[in-house]
Amino acid sequence: SAKLLIGSNVHVFSNGAAYYGGGIRIAGLEMTMSGTGSYITQNVADTGDGGGLAITGHASQPGKATVSSPGNAISNNTANRGGGVAVMANNNDDEGATLVLRSTLIGNYAHYRGGGIFAREEALSIPSRWVDAKVVADSNAHIDSNAAPNGAAVYLDYAEDAVFGDNYGASFTMTTGTINSNLSMDDGSNFTDGAILFESDGSYTSALDLTRVTMQGNHGGPLIRNDDYVVLKNVLMAANTTSSR
């Protein structure tokens, strides 16, 4: 598949898109962003998905982005869903989407869902099956100081098989990192009862797995709102504030 390599001192700054990927849209190709001094910041997909970066499959090829640039690689972007990044599987076999985060995602905002990251699986029928949307955060990644009414840090959405009614949801795995100071907040700067990490309802495939992760200083509803599969290992949850009633 095609590849996009982002080296040092590349600034994706103050761009806009009507629908997907205010800064960059990856469709059926592989992106690697690893250079020092490179960042995606202050981009907007105000009525769409992925303010900084949108990842999707296309033309029977998966979309994948690996972000490991030092510092605040993805920051201060805005979208309807996925203020920082949207990870969207497409409705065709082999057109999955994956984000590998090894950097800092900070200060992003979504008007609706997923201040830091929004991920959505896709469902296909006859036979009933799914197309994966995955988020993997490791190597001391940070998802900090993002905001949205629900899923301030991460929102894992699902798709429904139109024939059989089965739900298939996205997955999030984090190994060694932080999910700190995220805010469940609406456009009027009012705190909501939305979750910091939201896992979709009634899904067969959705999974949330945290190992050696700190969740501190977040303000919202529940820290984790899940309906299916959650694993926590060596996770510190401290000094968080709830606005739930």
Side-chain angles (χ1 to χ4, degrees):
S1 62
K3 299 187 182 214
L4 170 65
L5 303 178
I6 299 178
S8 298
N9 300 314
V10 177
H11 303 163
V12 182
F13 170 71
S14 195
N15 302 285
Y19 299 109
Y20 302 108
I24 299 174
R25 183 186 180 197
I26 299 300
L29 58 87
E30 183 175 351
M31 180 189 104
T32 301
M33 177 176 167
S34 58
T36 301
S38 292
Y39 55 75
I40 301 170
T41 188
Q42 296 183 36
N43 303 284
V44 176
D46 212 36
T47 60
D49 304 324
L53 172 64
I55 308 163
T56 189
H58 180 69
S60 298
Q61 296 292 329
K64 180 179 179 181
T66 301
V67 179
S68 57
S69 290
N72 299 338
I74 302 176
S75 66
N76 301 310
N77 302 285
T78 303
N80 192 41
R81 301 185 302 183
V85 183
V87 184
M88 311 279 288
N90 212 348
N91 59 349
N92 195 8
D93 288 322
D94 303 319
E95 294 184 6
T98 302
L99 169 67
V100 178
L101 180 68
R102 295 171 177 156
S103 186
T104 297
L105 193 151
I106 188 169
N108 302 283
Y109 180 72
H111 299 293
Y112 185 37
R113 293 174 173 173
I117 299 169
F118 175 86
R120 187 176 189 273
E121 202 97 336
E122 190 54 78
L124 302 173
S125 302
I126 310 177
S128 182
R129 61 202 189 279
W130 63 90
V131 185
D132 282 329
K134 298 179 180 179
V135 178
V136 179
D138 58 22
S139 302
N140 205 29
H142 304 281
I143 304 175
D144 298 341
S145 301
N146 303 284
N150 201 358
V154 178
Y155 191 105
L156 303 177
D157 204 2
Y158 72 93
E160 181 179 351
D161 179 336
V163 175
F164 300 101
D166 296 331
N167 292 339
Y168 299 107
S171 64
F172 173 57
T173 301
M174 188 174 204
T175 304
T176 309
T178 64
I179 302 173
N180 291 344
S181 303
N182 298 282
L183 305 176
S184 295
M185 181 178 286
D186 63 21
D187 288 347
S189 298
N190 303 301
F191 286 113
T192 72
D193 61 359
I196 302 302
L197 298 177
F198 184 97
E199 183 191 20
S200 56
D201 297 335
S203 169
Y204 291 120
T205 57
S206 184
L208 196 159
D209 192 326
L210 307 180
T211 302
R212 297 188 300 277
V213 172
T214 297
M215 298 185 70
Q216 186 170 348
N218 300 286
H219 189 149
L223 279 179
I224 301 173
R225 195 295 195 183
N226 70 292
D227 193 68
D228 193 62
Y229 178 85
V230 173
V231 174
L232 305 178
K233 300 175 184 176
N234 299 313
V235 174
L236 172 65
M237 299 178 177
N240 300 287
T241 303
T242 180
S243 50
S244 298
R245 296 178 181 177

